[in-house]
């Protein structure tokens, strides 16, 4: 370690790269990997003073924090671990970090199971759900319903540009759920065949707005127009405490090439030497206002989006501190 740059463990850098490249993706998986990376940092640290240990852990946290800006589960995972960082010696701090990370990861799994049970109560035998992107929280509801003996079907939106709908289709087929895969543009047409729109969330703002994969808001507007209820499955680690104090949620913008490959761009410009081709916008997420959401399903029960602020204050108080500040 140098005086001004605390050492960050290779495992942390690997996790940060995996999150950034979306090898690890989805808000819950990102939170889980973040906590595991802090534990790895604690295990691998050769800091000799508590101050050096804390500085390293903070540097690791920053490294992870800067990977993907929209999913609040990441800073919430950091907050959870740092809040329990009690200890006078390096050994005590190391144990505290590892224990706290383990506890967070265990709670995460349990929360998803509990949330699944709550969400499953909304689903009746024979229902058809329409999904968007790939959300482990949303799928936990389907899984719990299927395990309780209900027959469900799914209409799965492909979810351009990265087609995470294929992951959803794969998981649902693994549970023997009949799946119809559609392109995103077909969603409006197939809503008549759906009983529920069931999506996850990357962040939920204090006013009940839901930040999730781009296309969620359009789907919710269409669903509202067709009278299909929109259910958001989101563990409370998706609640964004900073929005209590007026901050907005940053929407991640991803590479143009996810939308338009170099070869496709060349086909558009057709050899014209001075033509750069079209500009491309690729926001990864959008904001669905609370008026288009029927319910937010959490591990603490189901809430109308407008009342989620009460749960948020209860769980987080009012905090604008950096995730690694106590
Ligand atoms: C994933 C996405 C998911 C939420 C919820 O986006 O928008 O709906 O993260 O997922 P990306 P989960 O693929 O860009 O990470 O319920 O698993 O936390």
């Amino acid at each position: 370690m140098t005086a001004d740059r605390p050492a960050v463990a290779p495992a942390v850098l690997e996790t940060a790269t995996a999150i950034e490249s979306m090898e690890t993706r989805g808000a819950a998986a990102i939170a889980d990997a973040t906590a595991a990376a802090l534990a790895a940092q604690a295990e691998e640290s050769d800091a000799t003073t508590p101050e050096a240990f804390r500085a390293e852990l903070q540097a690791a946290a920053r490294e992870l924090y800067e990977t993907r800006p929209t999913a609040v589960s990441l800073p919430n995972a950091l907050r959870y671990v740092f809040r329990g960082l009690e200890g006078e010696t390096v050994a005590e701090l190391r144990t505290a970090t590892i224990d706290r990370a383990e506890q967070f990861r265990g709670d995460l799994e349990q929360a998803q199971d509990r949330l699944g049970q709550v969400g499953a109560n909304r689903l009746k035998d024979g229902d058809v759900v329409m999904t968007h992107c790939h959300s482990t929280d949303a799928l936990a509801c389907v899984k719990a319903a299927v395990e309780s003996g209900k027959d469900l079907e799914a209409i799965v939106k492909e979810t351009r540009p990265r087609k995470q709908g294929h992951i959803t289709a794969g998981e649902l087929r693994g549970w023997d759920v009949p799946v119809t895969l559609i392109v995103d543009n077909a969603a409006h047409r197939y809503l008549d065949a759906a009983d529920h729109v069931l999506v996850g969330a990357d962040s939920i703002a204090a006013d009940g707005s839901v930040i999730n994969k781009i296309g969620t808001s359009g789907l919710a507007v269409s669903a509202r127009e067709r009278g299909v209820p929109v259910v958001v499955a989101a563990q409370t680690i998706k609640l964004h405490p900073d929005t209590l104090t007026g901050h907005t949620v940053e929407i991640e913008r991803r590479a143009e090439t996810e939308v338009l490959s170099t070869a496709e761009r060349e086909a558009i410009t057709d050899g014209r030497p001075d033509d750069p081709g079209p500009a491309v916008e690729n926001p990864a997420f959008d904001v669905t206002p609370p008026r288009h959401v029927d319910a937010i399903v959490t591990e603490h029960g189901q809430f109308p989006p407008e009342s989620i602020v009460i749960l948020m204050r209860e769980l987080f108080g009012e905090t604008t501190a950096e995730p690694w500040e106590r």
Side-chain angles (χ1 to χ4, degrees), residues 22 24-30 68 71 73 112 132-139 162 164 199-202 211-214 216 233-235 237-238 252 254 284-285:
M22 289 179 63
T24 299
R25 47 147 300 280
I30 288 171
R68 294 196 75 191
S73 57
Q112 194 166 72
H132 183 63
C133 197
H134 170 253
S135 157
T136 55
D137 282 352
L139 286 176
R162 293 181 69 110
Q164 292 99 325
V199 297
D202 286 83
I211 295 91
N212 191 47
K213 180 56 54 183
I214 189 83
T216 304
Q235 300 177 55
I237 50 151
K238 316 286 181 67
E252 174 181 349
R254 299 194 58 83
F285 303 100

Side-chain angles (χ1 to χ4, degrees), residues 57-58 61-63 65-66 75 78-79 82 321-326:
L57 205 64
Q58 203 174 98
R62 278 180 199 275
E63 196 74 46
Y65 184 58
E66 278 155 18
L78 298 175
R79 263 185 202 107
F82 276 85
E322 296 284 15
W324 42 84
E325 287 168 2
R326 307 176 66 208

